[in-house]
Amino acid sequence: MMLKDLITALEAADPNQTVRHGFANPHSYRGYYMDLAFEPAANVTVAAMLADARSALGATYQGYKGGDFTMDAYTDCWLSLEGEASGDSLGSLLLQLMLADPGTPREPQPAVVDGGQWATIRGLVDWLDEANGRTDEEITLRILKLAEETGEVGQAWIGVRGQNPRKGVTHTREDVADELCDVIVTAAVALASMLGDPAARLNAKLAKIAARSGVNV
């Protein structure tokens, strides 16, 4: 099955359905580096699988032994653990079997960032758009802003620990918390600059991480 067909098939399915034996983690398939593979995953929603499939469209992954491989609509899809050279072709029959085998339903999860907070995020995006536009170059700068904010978290924590003998203790844990909030806001602004529904993407990602980690929420 080509990536475009996989996306179309998942779009036609119930996004809230939980699949007992689904997939996650798109990557370059070791068997054929130019092909796309997903790792098997238990009790994942159709929405999470669709989000992973869409994220792979146009994405570039590094092959197992090097080289960059960009996936497009016509890329063939496989089901295989990352780094494994063998796998199963992810065809229409296998996908039908996945969707016909419901997993354990999960209760709807609360938003990590609530509606009011996303409204503020969108306001910040609009403010930046008005000043700078929203070209790929501008989005790149919004993403790179994360590196700056992350550095400030590290600087604040060094200040808490008094790591610099010349300066001593210069920050509090509250300062570190504030810097971490800046990282979250900056990441949310970058995400909202790229996607029309950042909340759904964030929640789907969190659900996938929780399922992979065995966290019951």
Side-chain angles (χ1 to χ4, degrees):
M1 177 179 285
M2 293 183 290
L3 181 55
K4 67 181 182 66
D5 299 322
L6 177 61
I7 292 173
T8 298
L10 290 172
E11 287 174 340
D14 178 4
N16 298 313
Q17 177 187 346
T18 301
V19 180
R20 187 187 305 274
H21 301 292
F23 60 75
N25 186 31
H27 58 277
S28 169
Y29 176 42
R30 186 179 177 185
Y32 304 100
Y33 292 176
M34 73 290 298
D35 286 354
L36 178 68
F38 298 90
E39 287 193 311
N43 289 323
V44 293
T45 64
V46 169
M49 292 164 60
L50 177 58
D52 276 329
R54 285 174 171 167
S55 72
L57 190 60
T60 299
Y61 301 102
Q62 187 174 58
Y64 184 78
K65 293 185 178 180
D68 292 329
F69 299 87
T70 300
M71 309 301 164
D72 60 30
Y74 299 94
T75 297
D76 288 325
C77 298
W78 298 77
L79 192 66
S80 176
L81 293 173
E82 188 166 5
E84 292 290 331
S86 61
D88 297 312
S89 177
L90 186 48
S92 57
L93 178 58
L94 179 55
L95 183 61
Q96 289 174 21
L97 292 173
M98 286 181 178
L99 297 177
D101 185 20
T104 304
R106 289 181 172 271
E107 293 295 325
Q109 301 303 314
V112 180
V113 183
D114 65 33
Q117 290 168 330
W118 277 117
T120 301
I121 297 296
R122 291 190 183 92
L124 292 172
V125 171
D126 291 343
W127 172 64
L128 289 171
D129 288 350
E130 184 176 352
N132 302 327
R134 202 193 297 187
T135 63
D136 284 348
E137 288 75 14
E138 172 62 19
I139 291 176
T140 298
L141 292 174
R142 295 180 195 183
I143 293 172
L144 291 176
K145 179 71 173 174
L146 273 168
E148 177 187 350
E149 298 296 347
T150 302
E152 291 179 3
V153 173
Q155 182 181 25
W157 184 245
I158 288 172
V160 170
R161 302 296 299 167
Q163 184 67 23
N164 186 329
R166 180 173 60 83
K167 295 182 178 180
V169 175
T170 57
H171 291 73
T172 65
R173 287 177 179 264
E174 287 73 19
D175 292 330
V176 177
D178 284 342
E179 298 296 349
L180 287 169
C181 288
D182 284 344
V183 171
I184 293 170
V185 171
T186 302
V189 167
L191 180 63
S193 297
M194 296 175 60
L195 299 175
D197 193 351
R201 181 68 182 184
L202 178 59
N203 289 336
K205 182 66 174 180
L206 184 63
K208 183 175 72 173
I209 292 172
R212 188 170 62 218
S213 305
V215 175
N216 294 317
V217 291

